[in-house]
Amino acid sequence: MNPAQESGGELAAHESAGGRPGGLFYTLGRVELRFAQLCVVVMTALVLTSAIARTVGTPMNWTVDLATFTFAWAVFIGADVAWRRDRMVSIDILVDRLPAVARRWVQLACTVLVAALLAALVITGTMLAADASDRSFDGVPWLSYTWVTMAVPIGCLLMLITTGHKLRSQIQSLRGRHGEVTP
């Protein structure tokens, strides 16, 4: 589906996170979506294959290892897809009762906190991946566990990029007509 065929809601979701159809950020989001979808399909096929093989008496342990690999990548890349589209779970019963300007300030503060958490996860996820370099899967000894743990810092880095776009958009929405931040 090309950008001209997308629904208004999907287009608005991309633009709210800073993506413009045809732009690099927008294209990255489309690639992430397709990659996460592929990971879920492959993971499902691997789990199904494993279950069938176990049922007929010839278990294939390597399928579970590869399903773990695809699951980790689907989770962290899929998290950025959801974050871009404002589809993350939120509890906003109290915030909804605030005036519009106060809601935007609370949203900005929460986005800053999310950015700090994601930055910490990029750093610690990278350290975790480095520590896992000597570990491999039992069923797939040629596949280092580092490739699974790299899903954490890469997924969080992508979410951090999305968060930067959200922050820019939120700051712009708080600015008045003359470029000054409203109280």
Side-chain angles (χ1 to χ4, degrees), residues 4 9 19 21 27 32 37 40-41 65 70 72 79 98 114 119 126 128 141 148 158 176:
T27 302
E32 288 177 4
Q37 289 172 332
V40 169
V41 168
D65 293 339
T70 56
L98 295 174
V114 166
T126 303
L128 176 67
V148 174
L158 291 168

Side-chain angles (χ1 to χ4, degrees), residues 40-183:
V40 169
V41 168
V42 170
M43 176 188 63
T44 303
L46 288 167
V47 170
L48 179 63
T49 302
S50 176
I52 292 170
R54 200 173 317 115
T55 301
V56 298
T58 55
M60 299 188 311
N61 294 335
W62 62 270
T63 57
V64 174
D65 293 339
L66 289 180
T68 301
F69 172 83
T70 56
F71 176 73
W73 281 95
V75 165
F76 283 95
I77 301 301
D80 188 43
V81 172
W83 185 229
R84 282 173 180 264
R85 297 171 179 222
D86 294 325
R87 300 266 173 91
M88 292 292 216
V89 174
S90 66
I91 301 170
D92 49 12
I93 192 167
L94 296 175
V95 176
D96 283 347
R97 296 174 188 217
L98 295 174
V101 173
R103 270 196 312 266
R104 289 196 306 256
W105 279 102
V106 169
Q107 184 181 29
L108 179 65
C110 288
T111 306
V112 168
L113 289 174
V114 166
L117 173 66
L118 290 171
L121 285 171
V122 168
I123 293 166
T124 57
T126 303
M127 293 183 331
L128 176 67
D131 287 345
S133 63
D134 60 342
R135 182 177 170 204
S136 65
F137 288 98
D138 292 332
V140 192
W142 52 266
L143 182 62
S144 172
Y145 207 75
T146 295
W147 290 104
V148 174
T149 55
M150 282 302 294
V152 176
I154 290 174
C156 290
L157 181 62
L158 291 168
M159 285 187 275
L160 190 58
I161 292 167
T162 300
T163 303
H165 282 268
K166 286 180 175 286
L167 281 170
R168 184 182 63 200
S169 175
Q170 290 169 359
I171 290 169
Q172 287 174 347
S173 78
L174 282 169
R175 292 193 182 271
R177 287 186 164 179
H178 303 290
E180 298 172 5
V181 175
T182 58

